[in-house]
Amino acid sequence: MYKRSIKSWVKHLDFFLLDLLCLQIALILGTLIRNGQFNYTDEAYLKCATIFAAADIIAVFAFSTFKRVLKRGFYKEAIITVRQALTVLVLATFYMFVTKSAHTFSRAIVLYTCAFYLVISYMVRVCYKQLLLKLIQGTKSFVRKVLVISESEEVAISVINKLKKDMLENFEIVGVALSDTEKVGSKLLDTQVVADLDNIAEYACREWVDEAFISMTIDDVKRDELVNQFVEMGMTAHLILMEHEDFEANRNVIEKLAGYTVLTSSIRTISMSEAFLKRFIDIIGGIVGCILTAIMFIFIAPAIYIKSPGPIFFSQIRVGRNGKKFKIYKFRSMYLDAEERKKELMEKNKISGGLMFKMDQDPRIIGNDNCDGKGIGNFIRNTSLDEFPQFLNVLKGDMSLVGTRPPTLDEWEKYELHHRARLAIKPGITGLWQVSGRSNITDFEEVVKLDRKYISEWSFGQDIKILIKTVLVVLRRDGSM
């Protein structure tokens, strides 16, 4: 899966080179507007050009900017272009700040450059894509004559619609073959039913057919026979492996493993660059978080110890990605006998089934003996200060900044199969559930639904949004995490 990301990046080298050119043009225009002149040999310009180019390369690789670029619409392209321009601006500014070289560059030039880059890059991408598509669709050598073969009309119609939408491939559907012999001569949409499954090979021998899309689930022997017949005739046969809605959320990839050609299915796959970027952000966040935790310890430790003498930190075995067990760390916000007393309080659990534990005015919280919500334990939980030691878990690699909350061992043992999908990724300090009105969600199935949504739709941009929302939620003291 990682190799595919690199191949995709290299495949669209023309877009990448055009993007670099657009960035340099934008820098020239920004320099001309700010200084009224431009000099290629100027040292400041050369350094600025290098920094911007490096930032652009990092952003393209990290976000796979040109993946499926030819299949994106105008709106999607605009969103991705804005993201690319903002990332370049942030990376360039960050470099200048860290190296303390910001004083050598004009802020106006930097802002002008990114603004011009956004506009020029978007226009060039759109125009270049339209040019390529017209060339492909207008060149007869690119036309691919396709037969659709299926056992049912419904599936055949679905395949036809999808093939027609894929303008990039330039398919021309020459006919349909169905198992029902009485349908031969009729039409599906505007496509002729040219044969049944018994004589489709004979039809393909007589007519111009380049490829066949085969969607059959009942008769495996007949399906394999058809594939072999098309291959023997020198044609390409595409076997549609999964057409059912049950697999809609899956990511299905054909790849080579240990000498086998396999179909790999998972709830979500990410590229090597995406995995690297997420881990890089986790490491940076983990380091900063550990420093803040050390500072907080100076103030929080005495407050905890005075009210409840004992360890300042609380550790517990939790279940992480795909069942991996690890020890999670927190500032202790509960009395030492909290786990024993939990069994007595299970009847007050707001989440049924014992799959998670949540209750209002928990008497196990330090200083909350009167259930007035004013104890030191309530304060550090409501402000999420108790979570800060988990940055050590992030740094160690057991957790991520953003993910799903890790269950306890007793909760994990009660999980059904579909519940386990929420830990298909590393657990996180925060996540989609926590910023989606977590205080009001008492149905564990809704929690699982939100976690699956996060996993299947994961993106770096979504992580940033969740982190920002988490800060806002904490500032509003919207419950504990």
Side-chain angles (χ1 to χ4, degrees):
M1 287 179 278
Y2 293 156
K3 291 181 180 178
R4 182 176 294 100
S5 174
I6 296 173
K7 288 180 179 178
S8 174
W9 194 67
V10 174
K11 179 181 178 181
H12 299 298
L13 186 60
D14 50 346
F15 280 93
F16 173 63
L17 294 176
L18 279 174
D19 197 65
L20 282 175
L21 179 61
C22 291
L23 184 56
Q24 294 306 309
I25 293 174
L27 178 57
I28 293 172
L29 291 175
T31 304
L32 286 173
I33 291 178
R34 175 62 179 83
N35 298 335
Q37 59 181 356
F38 169 75
N39 183 4
Y40 268 112
T41 61
D42 183 74
E43 183 179 351
Y45 163 77
L46 291 175
K47 190 172 183 179
C48 193
T50 303
I51 292 171
F52 272 116
D56 192 43
I57 292 171
I58 293 172
V60 167
F61 183 74
F63 290 107
S64 299
T65 301
F66 299 117
K67 183 179 180 181
R68 299 177 63 84
V69 61
L70 289 173
K71 297 186 178 183
R72 296 199 294 249
F74 294 106
Y75 175 74
K76 182 70 174 178
E77 193 63 62
I79 296 298
I80 291 177
T81 305
V82 170
R83 182 185 67 185
Q84 179 75 11
L86 290 177
T87 304
V88 169
L89 174 61
V90 170
L91 289 175
T93 304
F94 178 75
Y95 173 82
M96 295 173 189
F97 173 78
V98 170
T99 59
K100 298 181 180 180
S101 57
H103 62 280
T104 62
F105 302 99
S106 168
R107 284 174 292 180
I109 290 179
V110 172
L111 293 175
Y112 281 140
T113 298
C114 289
F116 280 124
Y117 169 59
L118 173 61
V119 175
I120 296 172
S121 179
Y122 178 74
M123 293 176 61
V124 168
R125 290 186 199 183
V126 169
C127 293
Y128 186 57
K129 283 198 298 184
Q130 294 301 312
L131 175 62
L132 288 180
L133 290 173
K134 285 184 179 180
L135 287 174
I136 292 173
Q137 295 165 11
T139 306
K140 291 184 178 180
S141 60
F142 281 113
V143 174
R144 298 154 67 183
K145 302 280 187 176
V146 175
L147 269 175
V148 175
I149 304 172
S150 178
E151 293 162 328
S152 70
E153 292 184 51
E154 291 78 14
V155 173
I157 290 173
S158 174
V159 174
I160 290 170
N161 285 329
K162 289 180 179 179
L163 291 176
K164 287 183 175 180
K165 288 180 181 178
D166 197 342
M167 301 301 294
L168 175 61
E169 301 296 346
N170 210 20
F171 292 127
E172 181 181 334
I173 305 173
V174 296
V176 179
L178 298 172
S179 56
D180 190 349
T181 57
E182 295 182 1
K183 294 292 183 179
V184 177
S186 62
K187 283 191 174 183
L188 285 183
L189 302 178
D190 58 348
T191 304
Q192 190 83 18
V193 180
V194 296
D196 57 35
L197 299 184
D198 293 325
N199 55 29
I200 186 61
E202 180 182 348
Y203 172 86
C205 281
R206 293 184 285 103
E207 302 295 337
W208 176 12
V209 176
D210 295 311
E211 304 173 23
F213 274 77
I214 304 171
S215 178
M216 297 176 62
T217 58
I218 300 175
D219 192 341
D220 292 341
V221 175
K222 185 64 177 177
R223 179 194 61 199
D224 295 342
E225 181 184 340
L226 281 172
V227 171
N228 289 332
Q229 286 176 335
F230 276 97
V231 172
E232 287 178 4
M233 288 186 289
M235 303 174 189
T236 299
H238 302 283
L239 185 60
I240 301 176
L241 296 173
M242 294 183 180
E243 178 66 24
H244 304 292
E245 293 183 357
D246 297 342
F247 300 98
E248 184 177 0
N250 291 357
R251 302 299 190 272
N252 306 306
V253 178
I254 300 292
E255 56 185 346
K256 277 276 191 180
L257 289 176
Y260 293 99
T261 300
V262 298
L263 175 68
T264 301
S265 299
S266 65
I267 191 172
R268 179 70 165 91
T269 58
I270 65 174
S271 67
M272 180 173 61
S273 58
E274 290 173 326
F276 172 81
L277 182 62
K278 186 171 176 66
R279 182 57 187 151
F280 176 76
I281 297 300
D282 282 345
I283 291 174
I284 299 299
I287 293 173
V288 174
C290 285
I291 294 173
L292 293 175
T293 302
I295 297 172
M296 291 177 184
F297 179 85
I298 300 173
F299 303 96
I300 293 177
I304 294 175
Y305 191 82
I306 291 171
K307 286 291 185 179
S308 176
I312 304 303
F313 294 103
F314 168 77
S315 65
Q316 185 183 47
I317 299 298
R318 293 290 184 99
V319 182
R321 182 180 181 185
N322 294 328
K324 176 186 176 183
K325 297 177 180 62
F326 69 98
K327 186 178 288 186
I328 195 173
Y329 302 99
K330 291 186 177 185
F331 279 122
R332 184 167 62 89
S333 62
M334 292 189 173
Y335 290 110
L336 295 176
D337 61 348
E339 286 301 305
E340 290 75 15
R341 295 171 64 185
K342 178 180 176 181
K343 298 176 183 178
E344 303 172 4
L345 299 170
M346 284 301 295
E347 60 182 19
K348 297 182 179 180
N349 188 4
K350 294 174 64 177
I351 300 180
S352 60
L355 295 167
M356 296 182 76
F357 185 84
K358 187 176 183 65
M359 70 172 290
D360 295 325
Q361 302 303 336
D362 193 335
R364 301 174 302 156
I365 297 175
I366 297 174
N368 195 42
D369 306 79
N370 298 323
C371 294
D372 55 5
K374 297 179 180 179
I376 179 62
N378 294 104
F379 173 75
I380 65 175
R381 286 167 66 86
N382 290 343
T383 54
S384 297
L385 297 180
D386 63 323
E387 307 285 348
F388 271 78
Q390 290 172 41
F391 282 106
L392 178 59
N393 291 115
V394 173
L395 203 56
K396 289 171 59 180
D398 295 325
M399 295 177 64
S400 178
L401 293 178
V402 184
T404 60
R405 290 302 292 160
T408 59
L409 290 175
D410 60 320
E411 292 169 350
W412 174 253
E413 290 171 357
K414 297 174 183 177
Y415 274 21
E416 298 178 13
L417 287 178
H418 69 285
H419 296 152
R420 295 180 179 239
R422 65 187 297 265
L423 288 178
I425 60 170
K426 284 183 183 180
I429 295 179
T430 185
L432 184 60
W433 166 57
Q434 288 92 328
V435 298
S436 300
R438 64 187 185 277
S439 298
N440 300 320
I441 298 176
T442 58
D443 184 357
F444 183 67
E445 295 299 333
E446 184 65 22
V447 174
V448 174
K449 182 179 178 181
L450 286 170
D451 286 339
R452 286 181 63 95
K453 176 181 174 64
Y454 167 75
I455 296 170
S456 61
E457 299 177 3
W458 179 87
S459 68
F460 180 69
Q462 184 184 34
D463 274 6
I464 298 299
K465 290 179 183 178
I466 290 175
L467 288 172
I468 294 173
K469 286 183 178 180
T470 299
V471 174
L472 297 177
V473 168
V474 171
L475 291 176
R476 290 197 302 265
R477 298 186 179 184
D478 182 25
S480 64
M481 296 175 64

